[in-house]
Amino acid sequence: MSKKKQPEQAENEQTEEVKASETEQKAAEQTPAADWEAKYNELNDRYLRMAAEYDNFRKRSQREREQAYTDAVSRAVTALLPTYDNLERALKAETADTEYKKGVEMTMAQLVESLKGINVAIIDAAAGTAFDPNFHNAVMHVEDESLGENVIAETFQQGFQIGDKVIRHAMVKVAN
């Protein structure tokens, strides 16, 4: 008799297992849309975050490349500024030799054009221009009623900038 019960018990257990798995399948059939939607939302969120992270990386890399270029140009221009200053002094010096003066003028024009070619601009520091401490370095003050207050009276050394970055401030005399 015990042998008969065993196969019946085995059948009952199998039937219970089938019923349990059918119940699980029915539960799974009722929630697959919710599961798929949750998985979709999670993956979509991960995708959007990764896309935003990549975009930020791309923008940061671009800014770093531009900054490296600006730094390299500003170092090179800083090395050339004494040459510019000497050519400017040579142009101001009186000479009887017109060919010499013409050669210095041509050299200066070529240097200025080369600087413009790499986006280096000369800071406007002409007499009568308003003084801006962001671009000008006041080394002297003079009382002159004809110029007004905070106006450049004289430029001692030319200033240069590349984009918004000042390579060298213009050295000026300011009227108070």
Side-chain angles (χ1 to χ4, degrees):
M1 195 163 179
S2 63
K3 290 185 179 181
K4 283 188 176 182
K5 285 185 180 177
Q6 287 179 356
E8 287 176 15
Q9 284 178 345
E11 284 180 27
N12 287 342
E13 288 175 4
Q14 288 177 353
T15 310
E16 289 175 10
E17 287 177 10
V18 169
K19 288 179 183 178
S21 67
E22 287 176 4
T23 308
E24 288 175 5
Q25 285 179 348
K26 287 180 182 178
E29 288 174 5
Q30 292 173 358
T31 60
D35 287 345
W36 284 108
E37 187 175 347
K39 285 181 182 179
Y40 169 78
N41 288 338
E42 179 188 346
L43 289 174
N44 191 37
D45 184 52
R46 285 176 46 196
Y47 167 75
L48 291 174
R49 288 179 187 274
M50 192 180 310
E53 188 175 321
Y54 175 73
D55 191 43
N56 290 339
F57 169 76
R58 187 177 50 78
K59 289 176 183 176
R60 185 176 55 246
S61 296
Q62 180 66 26
R63 280 192 310 269
E64 288 172 356
R65 279 193 300 273
E66 289 171 0
Q67 184 65 37
Y69 173 78
T70 302
D71 290 344
V73 169
S74 93
R75 284 185 184 158
V77 170
T78 301
L80 291 174
L81 289 181
T83 305
Y84 179 89
D85 294 336
N86 289 334
L87 285 172
E88 196 171 46
R89 285 185 206 104
L91 286 173
K92 290 179 182 177
E94 293 295 324
T95 181
D97 190 0
T98 58
E99 294 298 318
Y100 171 78
K101 186 167 180 94
K102 183 178 177 184
V104 172
E105 287 172 353
M106 288 173 51
T107 305
M108 181 62 131
Q110 186 177 15
L111 180 59
V112 169
E113 285 302 313
S114 296
L115 291 174
K116 284 180 185 175
I118 55 174
N119 297 326
V120 175
I122 297 174
I123 294 173
D124 185 26
T129 310
F131 174 74
D132 185 356
N134 296 320
F135 299 110
H136 307 116
N137 180 18
V139 293
M140 290 180 70
H141 289 27
V142 63
E143 296 294 330
D144 191 351
E145 298 298 324
S146 65
L147 290 175
E149 192 168 327
N150 285 336
V151 175
I152 297 173
E154 184 180 351
T155 303
F156 297 119
Q157 194 175 47
Q158 203 58 258
F160 296 88
Q161 68 181 23
I162 179 167
D164 293 336
K165 181 180 179 178
V166 175
I167 297 171
R168 180 174 78 181
H169 290 83
M171 197 180 311
V172 297
K173 181 194 307 186
V174 180
N176 285 337

